[in-house]
Amino acid sequence: MYQTTSKLIFATLLMVPLAQWKGEASAEAKIGVVNVTKVFDDFVKSKTANKQLQVRRQKDQNYLNVLVKTLKDLQEGQTKLNEELLQEKLEEKRKGEVESELDQKRVQINVQSNLVRSHVRQANQRINKMANKVRADLLVAISAEVEKVGKEQKFVYIFDISGRSSTNVPPLLFQNCPNDLTAVVTKRLNDAVGKETKATPPKKDEKK
């Protein structure tokens, strides 16, 4: 019942200009390429974020299962009451009781159905909001790292070779650039995460 994406973070990869510098004019401008999608896939922070999103999704799914089970039980109760109401030998007193119970069941089913729909809508909105923020933050981090590499190694242009144009074909139909910086950027990003982890002191166990 939830929106399904194989990779929550990378469902929609934005096309962004990664790096461009107006350096000294040169007949042989230094050009590089990077596959942003692959950097995303191999970035430690994106894998961690995906796990966190999956945990959140599972919690939402578990609660949805409870809501749906309750709804199903109410519907089964309604069916039994309808079957009882159709019995020919049903006493008038009991018939009135069944009709009253059916009215209550209809109200309960309507309320429960609204709860299910509301939960699904809110859960999807929450997941999408989380995924969009993570994707935006990762794009900023990747773009910043590409810019660092570009400036350090004096590139004039660095193109993203993973994107698609408005005609749904890659903007670079052919490339044989020896300066593929995908692995370099990925390694630098992951190395930085490793350094951050080592620099963060372990949390002390709280006393009970």
Side-chain angles (χ1 to χ4, degrees):
M1 300 183 75
Y2 290 123
Q3 294 174 354
T4 303
T5 54
S6 58
K7 291 187 178 180
L8 296 177
I9 297 178
F10 317 124
T12 306
L13 182 63
L14 302 181
M15 283 288 292
V16 294
L18 293 177
Q20 177 180 343
W21 299 275
K22 295 180 179 179
E24 297 179 2
S26 172
E28 296 182 359
K30 192 173 181 181
I31 296 174
V33 296
V34 63
N35 187 322
V36 175
T37 300
K38 182 164 176 47
V39 174
F40 261 111
D41 290 342
D42 296 336
F43 192 6
V44 171
K45 283 189 175 181
S46 70
K47 294 177 181 179
T48 300
N50 257 324
K51 289 179 182 178
Q52 292 171 344
L53 287 170
Q54 291 292 354
V55 169
R56 177 68 260 179
R57 269 188 62 134
Q58 190 58 55
K59 288 181 179 179
D60 288 335
Q61 184 63 53
N62 291 342
Y63 185 57
L64 175 63
N65 293 342
V66 173
L67 292 177
V68 171
K69 172 70 166 56
T70 301
L71 178 60
K72 184 178 179 182
D73 291 343
L74 288 170
Q75 291 170 333
E76 288 177 352
Q78 183 186 45
T79 299
K80 290 179 180 179
L81 288 171
N82 279 324
E83 291 173 349
E84 185 179 356
L85 193 62
L86 293 174
Q87 293 178 6
E88 294 181 359
K89 297 181 180 180
L90 189 65
E91 297 180 357
E92 286 298 320
K93 180 181 178 182
R94 177 56 187 160
K95 183 178 180 181
E97 292 173 349
V98 171
E99 288 175 342
S100 177
E101 289 178 28
L102 275 171
D103 288 339
Q104 292 179 10
K105 277 285 187 293
R106 292 188 190 98
V107 172
Q108 292 172 336
I109 288 172
N110 184 56
V111 170
Q112 194 66 20
S113 296
N114 288 336
L115 284 175
V116 170
R117 286 191 292 269
S118 176
H119 174 68
V120 171
R121 182 177 64 254
Q122 291 176 9
N124 280 329
Q125 290 174 346
R126 179 167 50 246
I127 287 293
N128 287 336
K129 184 177 180 180
M130 291 171 64
N132 287 337
K133 184 176 187 312
V134 169
R135 181 169 54 246
D137 290 346
L138 291 176
L139 273 174
V140 169
I142 291 172
S143 296
E145 198 59 46
V146 171
E147 184 171 349
K148 288 180 184 177
V149 173
K151 288 181 177 179
E152 290 171 8
Q153 300 185 21
K154 301 188 184 304
F155 283 92
V156 178
Y157 297 101
I158 296 179
F159 295 99
D160 174 17
I161 58 174
S162 64
R164 295 272 170 177
S165 68
S166 59
T167 56
N168 202 32
V169 296
L172 295 177
L173 294 177
F174 173 80
Q175 70 90 13
N176 189 25
C177 181
N179 298 316
D180 190 335
L181 305 172
T182 303
V184 173
V185 173
T186 302
K187 185 177 186 306
R188 287 173 58 130
L189 286 166
N190 289 336
D191 287 348
V193 173
K195 291 178 181 178
E196 289 174 5
T197 303
K198 290 180 180 179
T200 303
K203 294 182 179 179
K204 295 182 179 179
D205 294 334
E206 294 182 2
K207 294 183 180 180
K208 293 182 180 180

